[in-house]
Short mmCIF file of all heavy atoms in Angstrom, two decimals:
data_model
loop_
_atom_site.label_atom_id
_atom_site.label_comp_id
_atom_site.label_asym_id
_atom_site.label_seq_id
_atom_site.Cartn_x
_atom_site.Cartn_y
_atom_site.Cartn_z
N PHE A 57 7.34 21.80 -38.92
CA PHE A 57 8.43 22.67 -38.52
C PHE A 57 9.67 22.27 -39.31
O PHE A 57 9.95 21.10 -39.50
CB PHE A 57 8.72 22.51 -37.02
CG PHE A 57 7.55 22.91 -36.17
CD1 PHE A 57 6.65 21.98 -35.73
CD2 PHE A 57 7.37 24.24 -35.83
CE1 PHE A 57 5.57 22.35 -34.94
CE2 PHE A 57 6.31 24.61 -35.05
CZ PHE A 57 5.40 23.67 -34.61
N TYR A 58 10.40 23.26 -39.75
CA TYR A 58 11.64 23.01 -40.45
C TYR A 58 12.79 23.28 -39.48
O TYR A 58 12.88 24.34 -38.90
CB TYR A 58 11.77 23.91 -41.68
CG TYR A 58 10.76 23.58 -42.74
CD1 TYR A 58 9.54 24.23 -42.77
CD2 TYR A 58 11.02 22.59 -43.67
CE1 TYR A 58 8.59 23.91 -43.73
CE2 TYR A 58 10.08 22.26 -44.63
CZ TYR A 58 8.87 22.92 -44.64
OH TYR A 58 7.93 22.60 -45.58
N VAL A 59 13.62 22.28 -39.32
CA VAL A 59 14.74 22.40 -38.40
C VAL A 59 16.02 22.26 -39.19
O VAL A 59 16.21 21.31 -39.93
CB VAL A 59 14.68 21.29 -37.32
CG1 VAL A 59 15.86 21.39 -36.37
CG2 VAL A 59 13.37 21.37 -36.57
N VAL A 60 16.89 23.23 -39.06
CA VAL A 60 18.18 23.20 -39.74
C VAL A 60 19.22 22.71 -38.74
O VAL A 60 19.40 23.30 -37.67
CB VAL A 60 18.55 24.60 -40.27
CG1 VAL A 60 19.92 24.57 -40.93
CG2 VAL A 60 17.50 25.10 -41.22
N GLN A 61 19.86 21.60 -39.07
CA GLN A 61 20.86 21.03 -38.17
C GLN A 61 22.17 21.82 -38.20
O GLN A 61 22.75 22.10 -37.19
CB GLN A 61 21.13 19.57 -38.53
CG GLN A 61 19.92 18.66 -38.42
CD GLN A 61 19.45 18.50 -36.99
OE1 GLN A 61 20.21 18.60 -36.06
NE2 GLN A 61 18.15 18.30 -36.81
N GLU A 62 22.62 22.14 -39.38
CA GLU A 62 23.88 22.86 -39.54
C GLU A 62 23.70 23.95 -40.59
O GLU A 62 22.83 23.84 -41.47
CB GLU A 62 24.99 21.91 -40.02
CG GLU A 62 25.31 20.79 -39.06
CD GLU A 62 26.34 19.82 -39.66
OE1 GLU A 62 26.84 20.07 -40.77
OE2 GLU A 62 26.61 18.81 -39.01
N SER A 65 23.09 23.28 -44.58
CA SER A 65 22.51 21.98 -44.87
C SER A 65 21.03 22.15 -45.20
O SER A 65 20.44 23.20 -44.98
CB SER A 65 22.68 21.04 -43.66
OG SER A 65 21.88 21.48 -42.60
N HIS A 66 20.45 21.10 -45.71
CA HIS A 66 19.02 21.12 -46.04
C HIS A 66 18.21 21.05 -44.75
O HIS A 66 18.57 20.34 -43.83
CB HIS A 66 18.67 19.95 -46.96
CG HIS A 66 19.30 20.05 -48.30
ND1 HIS A 66 18.91 20.97 -49.23
CD2 HIS A 66 20.32 19.35 -48.87
CE1 HIS A 66 19.65 20.85 -50.32
NE2 HIS A 66 20.53 19.85 -50.12
N PRO A 67 17.09 21.76 -44.71
CA PRO A 67 16.27 21.72 -43.50
C PRO A 67 15.62 20.35 -43.30
O PRO A 67 15.31 19.66 -44.27
CB PRO A 67 15.21 22.79 -43.73
CG PRO A 67 15.23 23.07 -45.19
CD PRO A 67 16.57 22.67 -45.71
N GLU A 68 15.48 19.98 -42.08
CA GLU A 68 14.84 18.71 -41.74
C GLU A 68 13.39 19.01 -41.38
O GLU A 68 13.10 19.91 -40.61
CB GLU A 68 15.57 18.07 -40.55
CG GLU A 68 15.10 16.69 -40.23
CD GLU A 68 15.89 16.07 -39.09
OE1 GLU A 68 17.03 16.49 -38.83
OE2 GLU A 68 15.34 15.15 -38.45
N VAL A 69 12.46 18.23 -41.92
CA VAL A 69 11.05 18.45 -41.66
C VAL A 69 10.60 17.54 -40.51
O VAL A 69 10.76 16.34 -40.56
CB VAL A 69 10.21 18.13 -42.93
CG1 VAL A 69 8.73 18.33 -42.65
CG2 VAL A 69 10.67 18.96 -44.10
N LEU A 70 10.05 18.16 -39.47
CA LEU A 70 9.56 17.43 -38.31
C LEU A 70 8.11 17.82 -38.05
O LEU A 70 7.73 18.98 -38.20
CB LEU A 70 10.39 17.74 -37.07
CG LEU A 70 11.87 17.38 -37.11
CD1 LEU A 70 12.57 17.88 -35.87
CD2 LEU A 70 12.05 15.88 -37.24
N ILE A 75 8.54 16.87 -32.35
CA ILE A 75 9.23 17.91 -31.58
C ILE A 75 8.80 17.85 -30.11
O ILE A 75 9.62 17.95 -29.21
CB ILE A 75 8.94 19.30 -32.16
CG1 ILE A 75 9.64 19.41 -33.52
CG2 ILE A 75 9.40 20.40 -31.22
CD1 ILE A 75 9.36 20.69 -34.25
#
Side-chain angles (χ1 to χ4, degrees):
F57 298 94
Y58 293 92
V59 179
V60 177
Q61 299 294 332
E62 297 175 4
S65 68
H66 294 289
E68 187 177 338
V69 179
L70 298 174
I75 291 176

